[in-house]
Amino acid sequence: MPTVDKKIGFLNIIFLFIISFAAFIVFMDTFKTPVSIFFPEIEVILYNLYETFKDVILFLKDLV
Protein backbone atom coordinates (compact mmCIF):
# COMPACT_ATOMS: atom_id res chain seq x y z
CA MET A 1 0.00 0.00 0.00
CA PRO A 2 1.42 3.39 -0.91
CA THR A 3 1.89 5.90 1.85
CA VAL A 4 0.03 9.16 1.66
CA ASP A 5 1.91 12.26 2.73
CA LYS A 6 -0.37 14.70 4.50
CA LYS A 7 0.77 18.29 4.34
CA ILE A 8 0.00 20.59 7.21
CA GLY A 9 -1.05 23.92 5.79
CA PHE A 10 -0.20 27.33 7.16
CA LEU A 11 -3.86 28.08 7.88
CA ASN A 12 -4.17 24.86 9.88
CA ILE A 13 -1.25 25.90 12.06
CA ILE A 14 -2.76 29.37 12.60
CA PHE A 15 -6.14 27.82 13.43
CA LEU A 16 -4.50 25.43 15.91
CA PHE A 17 -2.59 28.31 17.52
CA ILE A 18 -5.76 30.38 17.96
CA ILE A 19 -7.68 27.49 19.51
CA SER A 20 -4.77 26.64 21.82
CA PHE A 21 -4.42 30.27 22.91
CA ALA A 22 -8.16 30.51 23.63
CA ALA A 23 -8.06 27.27 25.64
CA PHE A 24 -5.09 28.57 27.62
CA ILE A 25 -6.93 31.82 28.44
CA VAL A 26 -10.05 29.89 29.52
CA PHE A 27 -7.89 27.62 31.67
CA MET A 28 -6.19 30.60 33.33
CA ASP A 29 -9.52 32.31 33.95
CA THR A 30 -11.09 29.15 35.37
CA PHE A 31 -8.27 28.43 37.80
CA LYS A 32 -7.47 32.03 38.66
CA THR A 33 -7.13 31.44 42.40
CA PRO A 34 -4.74 28.44 42.32
CA VAL A 35 -2.69 30.01 39.53
CA SER A 36 -2.38 33.24 41.52
CA ILE A 37 -0.15 31.37 43.97
CA PHE A 38 2.49 31.06 41.26
CA PHE A 39 1.60 34.24 39.33
CA PRO A 40 0.26 36.85 41.77
CA GLU A 41 -0.49 39.36 39.00
CA ILE A 42 -2.68 36.98 36.95
CA GLU A 43 -5.91 38.88 37.67
CA VAL A 44 -4.44 42.15 36.43
CA ILE A 45 -2.98 40.46 33.36
CA LEU A 46 -6.29 38.79 32.48
CA TYR A 47 -8.19 42.04 33.02
CA ASN A 48 -5.80 43.89 30.71
CA LEU A 49 -6.09 41.12 28.13
CA TYR A 50 -9.90 41.33 28.16
CA GLU A 51 -9.77 45.11 27.85
CA THR A 52 -7.39 44.76 24.90
CA PHE A 53 -9.82 42.36 23.22
CA LYS A 54 -12.64 44.86 23.79
CA ASP A 55 -10.54 47.67 22.30
CA VAL A 56 -9.67 45.61 19.22
CA ILE A 57 -13.34 44.70 18.69
CA LEU A 58 -14.40 48.34 19.05
CA PHE A 59 -11.65 49.40 16.64
CA LEU A 60 -12.80 46.87 14.07
CA LYS A 61 -16.42 47.99 14.47
CA ASP A 62 -15.40 51.61 13.95
CA LEU A 63 -13.31 50.65 10.97
CA VAL A 64 -16.26 49.01 9.25
Side-chain angles (χ1 to χ4, degrees):
M1 237 176 155
T3 60
V4 177
D5 293 334
K6 288 190 174 185
K7 294 182 180 180
I8 299 175
F10 181 72
L11 290 177
N12 289 340
I13 293 173
I14 296 295
F15 186 66
L16 179 66
F17 177 75
I18 290 171
I19 290 177
S20 299
F21 183 70
F24 180 72
I25 297 302
V26 168
F27 178 79
M28 286 296 167
D29 191 42
T30 303
F31 297 108
K32 212 183 301 185
T33 304
V35 170
S36 67
I37 294 171
F38 301 106
F39 300 108
E41 299 286 326
I42 193 70
E43 287 190 35
V44 175
I45 293 170
L46 287 174
Y47 179 76
N48 287 336
L49 181 67
Y50 296 147
E51 290 298 317
T52 302
F53 286 153
K54 286 179 188 177
D55 288 342
V56 168
I57 290 170
L58 288 173
F59 173 75
L60 291 175
K61 282 183 181 179
D62 288 342
L63 195 63
V64 173

